[in-house]
Amino acid sequence: MKMFNRLMTLKPGSLVEGTEAMVDAVTHINANTSYDFTLWQSLLGGPIGSFGVSTMVRSYGDYTDEVARLYAEDEAYVAKVDAGGAHLAGNPEDSLWNIVHAVGDMSEVPNVMSNVMWQMNPPEVAPSIAWAIELATYVNGIGGTPVSVSFSQWGLPNYIRLLWAYESVAAFDEATTAVQGDPGFVERLAATAEIGTPRDMQTGLIRRVL
């Protein structure tokens, strides 16, 4: 299974109208395709006004065909996308992630997710993925927070990502405080020195809007 992500940032002063336009467009595409998109608002890690949409896909080819059909046949959808685009600070950025591991129940879209992702040099990708899988299993054992490990080669090349799912921001705060104080977690972070130094690293917290 793969996850498609699109990242967008609203212009200053467009938060209310831009959010309404994105909700309108995502609601329309959910009603007129076989895909179930989620709209997220960034709370930590991205520029103020950052939003994202995501959906699970089995075939990226089938996904692009269905979206292309919508653009070609659905004038109302095109109008909604154009209306939302008028509020963006720049062009959206897309990425495709292959989910390689999951621990815990992630069958339902959570209310809140935290995101840690990093880019490695090609020879370091395989050991970094193995490390991430072991870390995900360990951290899940501390508090039971569901977590997935995914890998991107397209849009964000050689990136590994951990996504944790929470009921609320308060649950995120409590769970991450417990994990960061765990000696085993600290030891696993130190062990990354044997793998290599990430070329880039990003963290974030997002809340579901739709």
Side-chain angles (χ1 to χ4, degrees), residues 100 116-136 149-151 158-162 188 191-192 194-201:
V100 299
V116 179
M117 65 181 188
W118 61 98
Q119 184 185 40
M120 303 299 293
N121 292 314
E124 301 161 345
V125 167
S128 190
I129 291 175
W131 174 86
I133 290 173
E134 197 279 331
L135 180 73
V149 181
S150 52
F151 173 66
N158 298 330
Y159 272 80
I160 298 101
R161 180 170 71 179
L162 290 160
R188 283 162 173 78
T192 60
E194 301 176 3
I195 300 173
T197 302
R199 298 176 62 183
D200 177 57
M201 191 168 198

PDB file of all heavy atoms in Angstrom, residues 100 116-136 149-151 158-162 188 191-192 194-201:
ATOM      1  N   VAL A 100       6.135   0.419   4.474  1.00  0.00           N
ATOM      2  CA  VAL A 100       6.892  -0.821   4.591  1.00  0.00           C
ATOM      3  C   VAL A 100       6.650  -1.553   5.909  1.00  0.00           C
ATOM      4  O   VAL A 100       6.989  -2.738   6.032  1.00  0.00           O
ATOM      5  CB  VAL A 100       8.406  -0.557   4.408  1.00  0.00           C
ATOM      6  CG1 VAL A 100       8.679   0.016   3.029  1.00  0.00           C
ATOM      7  CG2 VAL A 100       8.946   0.390   5.482  1.00  0.00           C
ATOM      8  N   VAL A 116       8.053  12.311  11.577  1.00  0.00           N
ATOM      9  CA  VAL A 116       9.501  12.473  11.606  1.00  0.00           C
ATOM     10  C   VAL A 116      10.028  11.851  10.319  1.00  0.00           C
ATOM     11  O   VAL A 116       9.754  10.686  10.031  1.00  0.00           O
ATOM     12  CB  VAL A 116      10.150  11.772  12.818  1.00  0.00           C
ATOM     13  CG1 VAL A 116      11.666  11.949  12.779  1.00  0.00           C
ATOM     14  CG2 VAL A 116       9.583  12.312  14.118  1.00  0.00           C
ATOM     15  N   MET A 117      10.753  12.626   9.507  1.00  0.00           N
ATOM     16  CA  MET A 117      11.304  12.058   8.283  1.00  0.00           C
ATOM     17  C   MET A 117      12.703  12.603   8.041  1.00  0.00           C
ATOM     18  O   MET A 117      13.046  13.719   8.462  1.00  0.00           O
ATOM     19  CB  MET A 117      10.400  12.332   7.079  1.00  0.00           C
ATOM     20  CG  MET A 117      10.244  13.771   6.673  1.00  0.00           C
ATOM     21  SD  MET A 117       9.120  13.891   5.237  1.00  0.00           S
ATOM     22  CE  MET A 117       9.304  15.617   4.821  1.00  0.00           C
ATOM     23  N   TRP A 118      13.506  11.769   7.388  1.00  0.00           N
ATOM     24  CA  TRP A 118      14.886  12.133   7.156  1.00  0.00           C
ATOM     25  C   TRP A 118      15.375  11.512   5.847  1.00  0.00           C
ATOM     26  O   TRP A 118      14.871  10.496   5.396  1.00  0.00           O
ATOM     27  CB  TRP A 118      15.765  11.706   8.324  1.00  0.00           C
ATOM     28  CG  TRP A 118      15.797  10.226   8.588  1.00  0.00           C
ATOM     29  CD1 TRP A 118      16.755   9.332   8.176  1.00  0.00           C
ATOM     30  CD2 TRP A 118      14.840   9.457   9.324  1.00  0.00           C
ATOM     31  NE1 TRP A 118      16.453   8.065   8.607  1.00  0.00           N
ATOM     32  CE2 TRP A 118      15.276   8.113   9.319  1.00  0.00           C
ATOM     33  CE3 TRP A 118      13.646   9.776   9.994  1.00  0.00           C
ATOM     34  CZ2 TRP A 118      14.567   7.091   9.947  1.00  0.00           C
ATOM     35  CZ3 TRP A 118      12.936   8.755  10.612  1.00  0.00           C
ATOM     36  CH2 TRP A 118      13.402   7.436  10.597  1.00  0.00           C
ATOM     37  N   GLN A 119      16.360  12.157   5.240  1.00  0.00           N
ATOM     38  CA  GLN A 119      16.919  11.708   3.973  1.00  0.00           C
ATOM     39  C   GLN A 119      18.313  11.139   4.201  1.00  0.00           C
ATOM     40  O   GLN A 119      19.136  11.738   4.894  1.00  0.00           O
ATOM     41  CB  GLN A 119      16.995  12.872   2.978  1.00  0.00           C
ATOM     42  CG  GLN A 119      17.471  12.469   1.595  1.00  0.00           C
ATOM     43  CD  GLN A 119      17.649  13.680   0.684  1.00  0.00           C
ATOM     44  OE1 GLN A 119      18.129  14.722   1.115  1.00  0.00           O
ATOM     45  NE2 GLN A 119      17.255  13.549  -0.569  1.00  0.00           N
ATOM     46  N   MET A 120      18.561   9.969   3.593  1.00  0.00           N
ATOM     47  CA  MET A 120      19.849   9.313   3.731  1.00  0.00           C
ATOM     48  C   MET A 120      20.516   9.155   2.363  1.00  0.00           C
ATOM     49  O   MET A 120      19.849   9.161   1.330  1.00  0.00           O
ATOM     50  CB  MET A 120      19.691   7.929   4.368  1.00  0.00           C
ATOM     51  CG  MET A 120      19.021   7.940   5.727  1.00  0.00           C
ATOM     52  SD  MET A 120      19.907   8.887   6.994  1.00  0.00           S
ATOM     53  CE  MET A 120      21.392   7.898   7.211  1.00  0.00           C
ATOM     54  N   ASN A 121      21.830   9.005   2.359  1.00  0.00           N
ATOM     55  CA  ASN A 121      22.531   8.645   1.149  1.00  0.00           C
ATOM     56  C   ASN A 121      22.139   7.219   0.748  1.00  0.00           C
ATOM     57  O   ASN A 121      21.822   6.388   1.612  1.00  0.00           O
ATOM     58  CB  ASN A 121      24.045   8.735   1.351  1.00  0.00           C
ATOM     59  CG  ASN A 121      24.511  10.164   1.530  1.00  0.00           C
ATOM     60  OD1 ASN A 121      24.113  11.056   0.780  1.00  0.00           O
ATOM     61  ND2 ASN A 121      25.345  10.400   2.537  1.00  0.00           N
ATOM     62  N   PRO A 122      22.152   6.897  -0.550  1.00  0.00           N
ATOM     63  CA  PRO A 122      21.666   5.581  -1.006  1.00  0.00           C
ATOM     64  C   PRO A 122      22.215   4.372  -0.240  1.00  0.00           C
ATOM     65  O   PRO A 122      21.438   3.483   0.127  1.00  0.00           O
ATOM     66  CB  PRO A 122      22.062   5.561  -2.482  1.00  0.00           C
ATOM     67  CG  PRO A 122      21.994   6.998  -2.895  1.00  0.00           C
ATOM     68  CD  PRO A 122      22.497   7.770  -1.709  1.00  0.00           C
ATOM     69  N   PRO A 123      23.525   4.274   0.054  1.00  0.00           N
ATOM     70  CA  PRO A 123      24.004   3.088   0.776  1.00  0.00           C
ATOM     71  C   PRO A 123      23.472   2.970   2.204  1.00  0.00           C
ATOM     72  O   PRO A 123      23.547   1.893   2.810  1.00  0.00           O
ATOM     73  CB  PRO A 123      25.535   3.272   0.781  1.00  0.00           C
ATOM     74  CG  PRO A 123      25.824   4.246  -0.299  1.00  0.00           C
ATOM     75  CD  PRO A 123      24.642   5.167  -0.325  1.00  0.00           C
ATOM     76  N   GLU A 124      22.954   4.080   2.733  1.00  0.00           N
ATOM     77  CA  GLU A 124      22.484   4.093   4.121  1.00  0.00           C
ATOM     78  C   GLU A 124      20.980   3.883   4.249  1.00  0.00           C
ATOM     79  O   GLU A 124      20.451   3.804   5.361  1.00  0.00           O
ATOM     80  CB  GLU A 124      22.863   5.432   4.767  1.00  0.00           C
ATOM     81  CG  GLU A 124      24.364   5.702   4.769  1.00  0.00           C
ATOM     82  CD  GLU A 124      24.703   7.162   4.973  1.00  0.00           C
ATOM     83  OE1 GLU A 124      23.802   8.021   4.839  1.00  0.00           O
ATOM     84  OE2 GLU A 124      25.880   7.442   5.251  1.00  0.00           O
ATOM     85  N   VAL A 125      20.277   3.767   3.116  1.00  0.00           N
ATOM     86  CA  VAL A 125      18.819   3.669   3.154  1.00  0.00           C
ATOM     87  C   VAL A 125      18.356   2.377   3.826  1.00  0.00           C
ATOM     88  O   VAL A 125      17.517   2.399   4.736  1.00  0.00           O
ATOM     89  CB  VAL A 125      18.231   3.782   1.731  1.00  0.00           C
ATOM     90  CG1 VAL A 125      16.760   3.360   1.728  1.00  0.00           C
ATOM     91  CG2 VAL A 125      18.365   5.213   1.221  1.00  0.00           C
ATOM     92  N   ALA A 126      18.881   1.234   3.401  1.00  0.00           N
ATOM     93  CA  ALA A 126      18.431  -0.053   3.946  1.00  0.00           C
ATOM     94  C   ALA A 126      18.657  -0.160   5.452  1.00  0.00           C
ATOM     95  O   ALA A 126      17.726  -0.522   6.192  1.00  0.00           O
ATOM     96  CB  ALA A 126      19.110  -1.206   3.211  1.00  0.00           C
ATOM     97  N   PRO A 127      19.856   0.139   5.977  1.00  0.00           N
ATOM     98  CA  PRO A 127      20.017   0.064   7.436  1.00  0.00           C
ATOM     99  C   PRO A 127      19.183   1.098   8.181  1.00  0.00           C
ATOM    100  O   PRO A 127      18.752   0.853   9.318  1.00  0.00           O
ATOM    101  CB  PRO A 127      21.515   0.299   7.643  1.00  0.00           C
ATOM    102  CG  PRO A 127      22.007   0.932   6.395  1.00  0.00           C
ATOM    103  CD  PRO A 127      21.143   0.400   5.308  1.00  0.00           C
ATOM    104  N   SER A 128      18.907   2.236   7.549  1.00  0.00           N
ATOM    105  CA  SER A 128      18.082   3.249   8.211  1.00  0.00           C
ATOM    106  C   SER A 128      16.630   2.785   8.302  1.00  0.00           C
ATOM    107  O   SER A 128      15.956   3.018   9.319  1.00  0.00           O
ATOM    108  CB  SER A 128      18.168   4.572   7.454  1.00  0.00           C
ATOM    109  OG  SER A 128      17.575   5.618   8.199  1.00  0.00           O
ATOM    110  N   ILE A 129      16.138   2.125   7.255  1.00  0.00           N
ATOM    111  CA  ILE A 129      14.784   1.573   7.306  1.00  0.00           C
ATOM    112  C   ILE A 129      14.693   0.495   8.381  1.00  0.00           C
ATOM    113  O   ILE A 129      13.727   0.455   9.160  1.00  0.00           O
ATOM    114  CB  ILE A 129      14.373   1.014   5.935  1.00  0.00           C
ATOM    115  CG1 ILE A 129      14.183   2.157   4.927  1.00  0.00           C
ATOM    116  CG2 ILE A 129      13.088   0.194   6.047  1.00  0.00           C
ATOM    117  CD1 ILE A 129      13.881   1.686   3.510  1.00  0.00           C
ATOM    118  N   ALA A 130      15.692  -0.374   8.449  1.00  0.00           N
ATOM    119  CA  ALA A 130      15.695  -1.426   9.473  1.00  0.00           C
ATOM    120  C   ALA A 130      15.704  -0.819  10.874  1.00  0.00           C
ATOM    121  O   ALA A 130      15.001  -1.293  11.781  1.00  0.00           O
ATOM    122  CB  ALA A 130      16.910  -2.332   9.274  1.00  0.00           C
ATOM    123  N   TRP A 131      16.492   0.249  11.051  1.00  0.00           N
ATOM    124  CA  TRP A 131      16.520   0.934  12.348  1.00  0.00           C
ATOM    125  C   TRP A 131      15.157   1.534  12.674  1.00  0.00           C
ATOM    126  O   TRP A 131      14.671   1.440  13.807  1.00  0.00           O
ATOM    127  CB  TRP A 131      17.587   2.035  12.317  1.00  0.00           C
ATOM    128  CG  TRP A 131      17.606   2.897  13.549  1.00  0.00           C
ATOM    129  CD1 TRP A 131      18.265   2.652  14.708  1.00  0.00           C
ATOM    130  CD2 TRP A 131      16.882   4.128  13.741  1.00  0.00           C
ATOM    131  NE1 TRP A 131      18.007   3.658  15.620  1.00  0.00           N
ATOM    132  CE2 TRP A 131      17.162   4.579  15.044  1.00  0.00           C
ATOM    133  CE3 TRP A 131      16.037   4.884  12.929  1.00  0.00           C
ATOM    134  CZ2 TRP A 131      16.622   5.747  15.561  1.00  0.00           C
ATOM    135  CZ3 TRP A 131      15.499   6.055  13.446  1.00  0.00           C
ATOM    136  CH2 TRP A 131      15.797   6.483  14.741  1.00  0.00           C
ATOM    137  N   ALA A 132      14.512   2.151  11.682  1.00  0.00           N
ATOM    138  CA  ALA A 132      13.205   2.778  11.900  1.00  0.00           C
ATOM    139  C   ALA A 132      12.153   1.742  12.278  1.00  0.00           C
ATOM    140  O   ALA A 132      11.301   1.998  13.140  1.00  0.00           O
ATOM    141  CB  ALA A 132      12.776   3.537  10.645  1.00  0.00           C
ATOM    142  N   ILE A 133      12.192   0.579  11.648  1.00  0.00           N
ATOM    143  CA  ILE A 133      11.230  -0.486  11.973  1.00  0.00           C
ATOM    144  C   ILE A 133      11.422  -0.951  13.411  1.00  0.00           C
ATOM    145  O   ILE A 133      10.447  -1.134  14.154  1.00  0.00           O
ATOM    146  CB  ILE A 133      11.389  -1.651  10.978  1.00  0.00           C
ATOM    147  CG1 ILE A 133      10.889  -1.232   9.592  1.00  0.00           C
ATOM    148  CG2 ILE A 133      10.657  -2.896  11.475  1.00  0.00           C
ATOM    149  CD1 ILE A 133      11.149  -2.247   8.513  1.00  0.00           C
ATOM    150  N   GLU A 134      12.667  -1.142  13.828  1.00  0.00           N
ATOM    151  CA  GLU A 134      12.926  -1.573  15.202  1.00  0.00           C
ATOM    152  C   GLU A 134      12.501  -0.498  16.193  1.00  0.00           C
ATOM    153  O   GLU A 134      11.917  -0.787  17.234  1.00  0.00           O
ATOM    154  CB  GLU A 134      14.409  -1.906  15.364  1.00  0.00           C
ATOM    155  CG  GLU A 134      14.734  -2.742  16.591  1.00  0.00           C
ATOM    156  CD  GLU A 134      14.829  -1.936  17.884  1.00  0.00           C
ATOM    157  OE1 GLU A 134      15.190  -0.736  17.801  1.00  0.00           O
ATOM    158  OE2 GLU A 134      14.552  -2.492  18.970  1.00  0.00           O
ATOM    159  N   LEU A 135      12.787   0.767  15.857  1.00  0.00           N
ATOM    160  CA  LEU A 135      12.387   1.864  16.741  1.00  0.00           C
ATOM    161  C   LEU A 135      10.871   1.946  16.860  1.00  0.00           C
ATOM    162  O   LEU A 135      10.333   2.138  17.959  1.00  0.00           O
ATOM    163  CB  LEU A 135      12.934   3.191  16.212  1.00  0.00           C
ATOM    164  CG  LEU A 135      12.562   4.413  17.063  1.00  0.00           C
ATOM    165  CD1 LEU A 135      13.352   4.411  18.361  1.00  0.00           C
ATOM    166  CD2 LEU A 135      12.798   5.717  16.305  1.00  0.00           C
ATOM    167  N   ALA A 136      10.167   1.816  15.739  1.00  0.00           N
ATOM    168  CA  ALA A 136       8.702   1.875  15.759  1.00  0.00           C
ATOM    169  C   ALA A 136       8.127   0.809  16.679  1.00  0.00           C
ATOM    170  O   ALA A 136       7.211   1.069  17.475  1.00  0.00           O
ATOM    171  CB  ALA A 136       8.150   1.718  14.345  1.00  0.00           C
ATOM    172  N   VAL A 149       6.021   2.981   9.233  1.00  0.00           N
ATOM    173  CA  VAL A 149       7.296   3.331   8.624  1.00  0.00           C
ATOM    174  C   VAL A 149       7.087   3.324   7.114  1.00  0.00           C
ATOM    175  O   VAL A 149       6.533   2.365   6.563  1.00  0.00           O
ATOM    176  CB  VAL A 149       8.400   2.322   8.993  1.00  0.00           C
ATOM    177  CG1 VAL A 149       9.729   2.721   8.352  1.00  0.00           C
ATOM    178  CG2 VAL A 149       8.547   2.214  10.500  1.00  0.00           C
ATOM    179  N   SER A 150       7.505   4.386   6.448  1.00  0.00           N
ATOM    180  CA  SER A 150       7.343   4.448   4.996  1.00  0.00           C
ATOM    181  C   SER A 150       8.602   5.011   4.348  1.00  0.00           C
ATOM    182  O   SER A 150       9.439   5.639   5.005  1.00  0.00           O
ATOM    183  CB  SER A 150       6.112   5.274   4.609  1.00  0.00           C
ATOM    184  OG  SER A 150       6.129   6.543   5.227  1.00  0.00           O
ATOM    185  N   PHE A 151       8.706   4.774   3.045  1.00  0.00           N
ATOM    186  CA  PHE A 151       9.891   5.157   2.287  1.00  0.00           C
ATOM    187  C   PHE A 151       9.464   5.835   0.992  1.00  0.00           C
ATOM    188  O   PHE A 151       8.534   5.378   0.323  1.00  0.00           O
ATOM    189  CB  PHE A 151      10.733   3.920   1.970  1.00  0.00           C
ATOM    190  CG  PHE A 151      11.894   4.178   1.051  1.00  0.00           C
ATOM    191  CD1 PHE A 151      12.947   4.988   1.451  1.00  0.00           C
ATOM    192  CD2 PHE A 151      11.938   3.607  -0.210  1.00  0.00           C
ATOM    193  CE1 PHE A 151      14.015   5.226   0.601  1.00  0.00           C
ATOM    194  CE2 PHE A 151      13.007   3.832  -1.066  1.00  0.00           C
ATOM    195  CZ  PHE A 151      14.052   4.640  -0.655  1.00  0.00           C
ATOM    196  N   ASN A 158      14.902   9.032  -1.301  1.00  0.00           N
ATOM    197  CA  ASN A 158      15.685   8.442  -0.208  1.00  0.00           C
ATOM    198  C   ASN A 158      15.267   8.965   1.165  1.00  0.00           C
ATOM    199  O   ASN A 158      16.099   9.088   2.070  1.00  0.00           O
ATOM    200  CB  ASN A 158      17.187   8.670  -0.422  1.00  0.00           C
ATOM    201  CG  ASN A 158      17.692   8.020  -1.686  1.00  0.00           C
ATOM    202  OD1 ASN A 158      17.161   7.001  -2.128  1.00  0.00           O
ATOM    203  ND2 ASN A 158      18.705   8.610  -2.285  1.00  0.00           N
ATOM    204  N   TYR A 159      13.978   9.259   1.321  1.00  0.00           N
ATOM    205  CA  TYR A 159      13.449   9.692   2.618  1.00  0.00           C
ATOM    206  C   TYR A 159      12.778   8.525   3.324  1.00  0.00           C
ATOM    207  O   TYR A 159      12.050   7.732   2.701  1.00  0.00           O
ATOM    208  CB  TYR A 159      12.431  10.814   2.451  1.00  0.00           C
ATOM    209  CG  TYR A 159      13.018  12.208   2.445  1.00  0.00           C
ATOM    210  CD1 TYR A 159      13.602  12.722   1.299  1.00  0.00           C
ATOM    211  CD2 TYR A 159      12.993  12.998   3.591  1.00  0.00           C
ATOM    212  CE1 TYR A 159      14.136  14.004   1.277  1.00  0.00           C
ATOM    213  CE2 TYR A 159      13.531  14.274   3.584  1.00  0.00           C
ATOM    214  CZ  TYR A 159      14.097  14.773   2.430  1.00  0.00           C
ATOM    215  OH  TYR A 159      14.632  16.038   2.420  1.00  0.00           O
ATOM    216  N   ILE A 160      13.000   8.440   4.621  1.00  0.00           N
ATOM    217  CA  ILE A 160      12.304   7.484   5.489  1.00  0.00           C
ATOM    218  C   ILE A 160      11.432   8.301   6.430  1.00  0.00           C
ATOM    219  O   ILE A 160      11.834   9.379   6.887  1.00  0.00           O
ATOM    220  CB  ILE A 160      13.299   6.627   6.295  1.00  0.00           C
ATOM    221  CG1 ILE A 160      14.183   5.802   5.348  1.00  0.00           C
ATOM    222  CG2 ILE A 160      12.567   5.717   7.260  1.00  0.00           C
ATOM    223  CD1 ILE A 160      15.543   6.358   5.122  1.00  0.00           C
ATOM    224  N   ARG A 161      10.226   7.776   6.716  1.00  0.00           N
ATOM    225  CA  ARG A 161       9.303   8.550   7.548  1.00  0.00           C
ATOM    226  C   ARG A 161       8.631   7.670   8.593  1.00  0.00           C
ATOM    227  O   ARG A 161       8.220   6.542   8.307  1.00  0.00           O
ATOM    228  CB  ARG A 161       8.234   9.212   6.675  1.00  0.00           C
ATOM    229  CG  ARG A 161       7.236  10.043   7.479  1.00  0.00           C
ATOM    230  CD  ARG A 161       6.346  10.868   6.577  1.00  0.00           C
ATOM    231  NE  ARG A 161       5.390  10.048   5.838  1.00  0.00           N
ATOM    232  CZ  ARG A 161       4.481  10.537   4.992  1.00  0.00           C
ATOM    233  NH1 ARG A 161       4.430  11.838   4.773  1.00  0.00           N
ATOM    234  NH2 ARG A 161       3.638   9.733   4.370  1.00  0.00           N
ATOM    235  N   LEU A 162       8.513   8.208   9.775  1.00  0.00           N
ATOM    236  CA  LEU A 162       7.722   7.612  10.861  1.00  0.00           C
ATOM    237  C   LEU A 162       6.500   8.487  11.076  1.00  0.00           C
ATOM    238  O   LEU A 162       6.612   9.702  11.213  1.00  0.00           O
ATOM    239  CB  LEU A 162       8.539   7.541  12.152  1.00  0.00           C
ATOM    240  CG  LEU A 162       9.696   6.531  12.180  1.00  0.00           C
ATOM    241  CD1 LEU A 162      10.691   6.904  13.262  1.00  0.00           C
ATOM    242  CD2 LEU A 162       9.170   5.125  12.413  1.00  0.00           C
ATOM    243  N   ARG A 188      18.628   4.207  21.342  1.00  0.00           N
ATOM    244  CA  ARG A 188      18.383   3.944  19.915  1.00  0.00           C
ATOM    245  C   ARG A 188      18.712   5.161  19.063  1.00  0.00           C
ATOM    246  O   ARG A 188      19.183   5.019  17.934  1.00  0.00           O
ATOM    247  CB  ARG A 188      16.948   3.483  19.718  1.00  0.00           C
ATOM    248  CG  ARG A 188      16.749   2.028  20.131  1.00  0.00           C
ATOM    249  CD  ARG A 188      15.296   1.650  20.368  1.00  0.00           C
ATOM    250  NE  ARG A 188      15.179   0.223  20.592  1.00  0.00           N
ATOM    251  CZ  ARG A 188      15.479  -0.368  21.749  1.00  0.00           C
ATOM    252  NH1 ARG A 188      15.917   0.360  22.779  1.00  0.00           N
ATOM    253  NH2 ARG A 188      15.348  -1.678  21.879  1.00  0.00           N
ATOM    254  N   ALA A 191      22.391   5.167  18.555  1.00  0.00           N
ATOM    255  CA  ALA A 191      22.865   4.110  17.660  1.00  0.00           C
ATOM    256  C   ALA A 191      22.854   4.538  16.197  1.00  0.00           C
ATOM    257  O   ALA A 191      23.496   3.901  15.358  1.00  0.00           O
ATOM    258  CB  ALA A 191      22.005   2.859  17.837  1.00  0.00           C
ATOM    259  N   THR A 192      22.160   5.619  15.874  1.00  0.00           N
ATOM    260  CA  THR A 192      22.114   6.058  14.480  1.00  0.00           C
ATOM    261  C   THR A 192      23.471   6.551  13.989  1.00  0.00           C
ATOM    262  O   THR A 192      23.698   6.639  12.778  1.00  0.00           O
ATOM    263  CB  THR A 192      21.080   7.192  14.293  1.00  0.00           C
ATOM    264  OG1 THR A 192      21.437   8.323  15.121  1.00  0.00           O
ATOM    265  CG2 THR A 192      19.687   6.720  14.664  1.00  0.00           C
ATOM    266  N   GLU A 194      26.067   4.947  13.900  1.00  0.00           N
ATOM    267  CA  GLU A 194      26.692   3.847  13.169  1.00  0.00           C
ATOM    268  C   GLU A 194      26.141   3.719  11.749  1.00  0.00           C
ATOM    269  O   GLU A 194      26.747   3.051  10.910  1.00  0.00           O
ATOM    270  CB  GLU A 194      26.478   2.542  13.921  1.00  0.00           C
ATOM    271  CG  GLU A 194      27.057   2.552  15.332  1.00  0.00           C
ATOM    272  CD  GLU A 194      26.740   1.284  16.102  1.00  0.00           C
ATOM    273  OE1 GLU A 194      26.110   0.383  15.497  1.00  0.00           O
ATOM    274  OE2 GLU A 194      27.115   1.189  17.278  1.00  0.00           O
ATOM    275  N   ILE A 195      24.988   4.350  11.479  1.00  0.00           N
ATOM    276  CA  ILE A 195      24.362   4.243  10.158  1.00  0.00           C
ATOM    277  C   ILE A 195      24.833   5.355   9.240  1.00  0.00           C
ATOM    278  O   ILE A 195      25.189   5.138   8.074  1.00  0.00           O
ATOM    279  CB  ILE A 195      22.827   4.279  10.285  1.00  0.00           C
ATOM    280  CG1 ILE A 195      22.347   3.111  11.140  1.00  0.00           C
ATOM    281  CG2 ILE A 195      22.167   4.259   8.906  1.00  0.00           C
ATOM    282  CD1 ILE A 195      20.865   3.145  11.459  1.00  0.00           C
ATOM    283  N   GLY A 196      24.854   6.561   9.758  1.00  0.00           N
ATOM    284  CA  GLY A 196      25.242   7.709   8.957  1.00  0.00           C
ATOM    285  C   GLY A 196      24.501   8.946   9.411  1.00  0.00           C
ATOM    286  O   GLY A 196      23.574   8.880  10.227  1.00  0.00           O
ATOM    287  N   THR A 197      24.881  10.088   8.878  1.00  0.00           N
ATOM    288  CA  THR A 197      24.258  11.361   9.233  1.00  0.00           C
ATOM    289  C   THR A 197      23.215  11.729   8.189  1.00  0.00           C
ATOM    290  O   THR A 197      23.528  11.774   6.997  1.00  0.00           O
ATOM    291  CB  THR A 197      25.305  12.480   9.316  1.00  0.00           C
ATOM    292  OG1 THR A 197      26.298  12.119  10.280  1.00  0.00           O
ATOM    293  CG2 THR A 197      24.662  13.793   9.713  1.00  0.00           C
ATOM    294  N   PRO A 198      21.968  11.990   8.602  1.00  0.00           N
ATOM    295  CA  PRO A 198      20.938  12.377   7.623  1.00  0.00           C
ATOM    296  C   PRO A 198      21.329  13.641   6.861  1.00  0.00           C
ATOM    297  O   PRO A 198      21.923  14.566   7.423  1.00  0.00           O
ATOM    298  CB  PRO A 198      19.699  12.622   8.496  1.00  0.00           C
ATOM    299  CG  PRO A 198      19.939  11.826   9.734  1.00  0.00           C
ATOM    300  CD  PRO A 198      21.422  11.888   9.959  1.00  0.00           C
ATOM    301  N   ARG A 199      20.993  13.665   5.577  1.00  0.00           N
ATOM    302  CA  ARG A 199      21.238  14.856   4.762  1.00  0.00           C
ATOM    303  C   ARG A 199      20.205  15.932   5.077  1.00  0.00           C
ATOM    304  O   ARG A 199      20.446  17.122   4.869  1.00  0.00           O
ATOM    305  CB  ARG A 199      21.181  14.479   3.287  1.00  0.00           C
ATOM    306  CG  ARG A 199      22.244  13.480   2.880  1.00  0.00           C
ATOM    307  CD  ARG A 199      22.097  13.060   1.431  1.00  0.00           C
ATOM    308  NE  ARG A 199      22.255  14.193   0.530  1.00  0.00           N
ATOM    309  CZ  ARG A 199      22.110  14.120  -0.788  1.00  0.00           C
ATOM    310  NH1 ARG A 199      21.789  12.969  -1.350  1.00  0.00           N
ATOM    311  NH2 ARG A 199      22.276  15.189  -1.545  1.00  0.00           N
ATOM    312  N   ASP A 200      19.038  15.509   5.545  1.00  0.00           N
ATOM    313  CA  ASP A 200      17.962  16.442   5.897  1.00  0.00           C
ATOM    314  C   ASP A 200      17.084  15.749   6.919  1.00  0.00           C
ATOM    315  O   ASP A 200      16.956  14.514   6.911  1.00  0.00           O
ATOM    316  CB  ASP A 200      17.137  16.813   4.661  1.00  0.00           C
ATOM    317  CG  ASP A 200      15.968  17.737   5.015  1.00  0.00           C
ATOM    318  OD1 ASP A 200      16.221  18.811   5.578  1.00  0.00           O
ATOM    319  OD2 ASP A 200      14.814  17.365   4.741  1.00  0.00           O
ATOM    320  N   MET A 201      16.466  16.519   7.816  1.00  0.00           N
ATOM    321  CA  MET A 201      15.562  15.946   8.811  1.00  0.00           C
ATOM    322  C   MET A 201      14.456  16.942   9.107  1.00  0.00           C
ATOM    323  O   MET A 201      14.712  18.144   9.234  1.00  0.00           O
ATOM    324  CB  MET A 201      16.304  15.589  10.085  1.00  0.00           C
ATOM    325  CG  MET A 201      15.489  14.764  11.064  1.00  0.00           C
ATOM    326  SD  MET A 201      16.516  14.080  12.388  1.00  0.00           S
ATOM    327  CE  MET A 201      15.452  12.783  12.999  1.00  0.00           C
TER     328      MET A 201
END
